[in-house]
Amino acid sequence: MRPLIDKLRQERTLPLHELRALLRGIRDDDTLDYLTRQARQVATTRFGNAIYIRGLIEVSSYCHNNCLYCGIRKDNMRAERYRLSKEQILACCREGHTLGFRTFVLQGGEDPAQTDSWVEDTVRAIREEFPENAITLSLGEKSRESYQRFFQAGANRYLLRHETRDPDHYASLHPQEMSLKRRLRCLDDLKAIGYQTGTGFMVGSRGQTIAHLVQDILYIKELRPEMIGIGPFLPHRDTPLALCPAGTIEQTLALIAIFRLMRPDALIPSTTALATLDPDGRERGILAGANVVMPNLSPADDRRKYELYDRKAALGAESAEGLDTLRTRLRAIGYDISFEKGDYNELPT
Ligand code: SAH
């Protein structure tokens, strides 16, 4: 496998059959170790020991969608629902700003009560009060016009995972009303408008095969998103996928590393799901080439209600108040928090 990994690092891509062979080959520890070490070197060459932080504000647990994997899906009658007001969100931003955050990420279910005008108004208020900050949205599928309005109001970045590039696999994870085609159109719109755009997928979602992962990799290569979000699937007890096994840490780390080798400049978070799967998941993600963490800045009372999967981590180093803990843990592996805004910035090759 080593020659394949060296080639991926060198050429930033591999032919299809070699990608497939690599994904099959990471089952052994030595290969995974070599792969993550290469990715780590690429990341530190590019970013030094800096890890960017983003303050995550979960703005609503209401959702009109019914994604089979997600704990806040519409049909989950046991989910506790809340939505934040503009004032509550601004209060989170103020707290985050004081702590040193220069990026706010507003993520939520697709909540019809948070209308496009409300989003626009909220983004504008944040932009006025924090002219220097980056504003990232992760509010699901909207029309191109809506994305355009949010952008004009001051949003700079948008996260929308494609979840899987295979139409049948997509259909097996989502209700009939949702379509991969629309999701991909949203991503094209976001890019065309000028957002720094993030996409990605869950590792180990039900029915995911190596062939699917190869399609995901090729799609991301083609789209060239500025941000790539990769986390393990984790079951939620009150969803149709409650009994499905979680994604593995090894496969998640391998994919983070592959994307780092393919896209040295990309912003790649070590996700909350990875930190939930394994107590050292956050650190292991960074050591596989991730360079972003997104501590939780939501109001403490509401955090447990934004439960996408069982036992979602939101305390300690996953929380904005836990920044000192995070710093200590990062320093222990030779990294440090960066308080820079951390925009995507492509260096000449
Ligand atoms: N409504 C927004 C935000 C969704 S939550 C949107 O549609 O983009 C953000 C991400 O969490 C999703 O894209 C999905 O990949 C991930 N997620 C949802 N349920 C999950 C689960 N059970 N395990 C792991 N990740 C999950």
Side-chain angles (χ1 to χ4, degrees), residues 63 69-71 107-110 138-141 159-161 163 183 201-202 232-236 273 306 308-309:
C63 192
Y69 44 82
C70 185
Q107 183 179 91
E110 293 191 16
S138 179
L139 302 172
E141 298 176 6
L159 306 177
L160 183 71
R161 291 185 175 177
E163 313 294 3
R183 193 148 275 245
F201 54 89
M202 292 173 289
F233 160 76
L234 297 171
H236 184 292
Y306 194 79
L308 305 179
Y309 41 81

Side-chain angles (χ1 to χ4, degrees), residues 50 71 108 121 123 145 188-189 192 242 282 296 299 326:
D121 193 46
V123 169
E145 292 67 39
D188 287 340
D189 288 345
R282 184 184 319 94
N296 198 308
L326 178 64

Side-chain angles (χ1 to χ4, degrees), residues 309-329:
Y309 41 81
D310 288 335
R311 290 182 289 278
K312 182 170 145 269
L315 299 173
E318 279 302 314
S319 69
E321 328 75 80
L323 225 46
D324 287 339
T325 312
L326 178 64
R327 184 183 291 112
T328 307
R329 292 186 62 155

Side-chain angles (χ1 to χ4, degrees), residues 37-76:
R37 201 148 16 98
Q38 299 308 308
R40 175 152 87 236
Q41 282 172 13
V42 168
T44 48
T45 303
R46 177 67 183 75
F47 300 98
N49 68 346
I51 301 296
Y52 296 124
I53 50 167
R54 322 296 196 195
L56 180 65
I57 305 170
E58 296 156 337
V59 298
S60 176
S61 69
Y62 286 90
C63 192
H64 68 190
N65 273 338
N66 228 348
C67 307
L68 271 66
Y69 44 82
C70 185
I72 64 167
R73 65 199 302 270
K74 178 176 67 185
D75 283 355
N76 181 7

Side-chain angles (χ1 to χ4, degrees), residues 24-256:
R24 286 209 193 92
I26 49 108
R27 290 201 177 105
D28 94 82
D29 287 353
D30 283 350
T31 303
L32 181 62
D33 199 60
Y34 186 76
L35 173 64
T36 54
R37 201 148 16 98
Q38 299 308 308
R40 175 152 87 236
Q41 282 172 13
V42 168
T44 48
T45 303
R46 177 67 183 75
F47 300 98
N49 68 346
I51 301 296
Y52 296 124
I53 50 167
R54 322 296 196 195
L56 180 65
I57 305 170
E58 296 156 337
V59 298
S60 176
S61 69
Y62 286 90
C63 192
H64 68 190
N65 273 338
N66 228 348
C67 307
L68 271 66
Y69 44 82
C70 185
I72 64 167
R73 65 199 302 270
K74 178 176 67 185
D75 283 355
N76 181 7
M77 297 305 161
R78 293 203 183 152
E80 287 186 70
R81 309 289 177 173
Y82 74 94
R83 69 173 58 91
L84 302 185
S85 65
K86 178 172 92 175
E87 272 315 315
Q88 282 177 300
I89 293 169
L90 282 167
C92 294
C93 293
R94 286 178 200 124
E95 188 194 335
H97 193 263
T98 306
L99 289 166
F101 286 92
R102 292 298 174 267
T103 296
F104 304 129
V105 182
L106 274 54
Q107 183 179 91
E110 293 191 16
D111 179 354
Q114 292 182 335
T115 61
D116 291 352
S117 314
W118 177 87
V119 174
E120 193 181 359
D121 193 46
T122 302
V123 169
R124 188 165 290 120
I126 301 173
R127 176 53 64 228
E128 269 170 27
E129 193 168 333
F130 303 98
E132 305 298 323
N133 281 32
I135 303 174
T136 305
L137 300 179
S138 179
L139 302 172
E141 298 176 6
K142 311 275 177 188
S143 68
R144 179 162 183 157
E145 292 67 39
S146 304
Y147 286 147
Q148 185 74 55
R149 281 168 66 185
F150 307 159
F151 190 75
Q152 260 145 12
N156 324 86
R157 307 179 184 154
Y158 206 103
L159 306 177
L160 183 71
R161 291 185 175 177
H162 67 285
E163 313 294 3
T164 169
R165 182 59 188 79
D166 183 87
D168 295 329
H169 189 219
Y170 191 92
S172 75
L173 295 173
H174 297 94
Q176 256 180 10
E177 315 82 76
M178 290 179 74
S179 84
L180 176 62
K181 210 169 144 203
R182 188 163 63 229
R183 193 148 275 245
L184 300 182
R185 197 218 60 218
C186 286
L187 283 160
D188 287 340
D189 288 345
L190 290 163
K191 273 245 152 195
I193 290 167
Y195 281 98
Q196 292 174 49
T197 304
T199 196
F201 54 89
M202 292 173 289
V203 175
S205 59
R206 183 182 67 181
Q208 186 179 64
T209 62
I210 298 274
H212 293 148
L213 291 172
V214 170
Q215 290 184 64
D216 291 323
I217 293 171
L218 295 180
Y219 170 65
I220 287 179
K221 176 173 142 113
E222 195 183 289
L223 182 72
R224 301 180 57 79
E226 284 77 12
M227 302 165 290
I228 305 169
I230 303 295
F233 160 76
L234 297 171
H236 184 292
R237 63 198 174 283
D238 298 318
T239 62
L241 305 191
L243 299 179
C244 293
T248 67
I249 182 132
E250 289 78 13
Q251 204 172 33
T252 308
L253 296 174
L255 282 153
I256 289 175

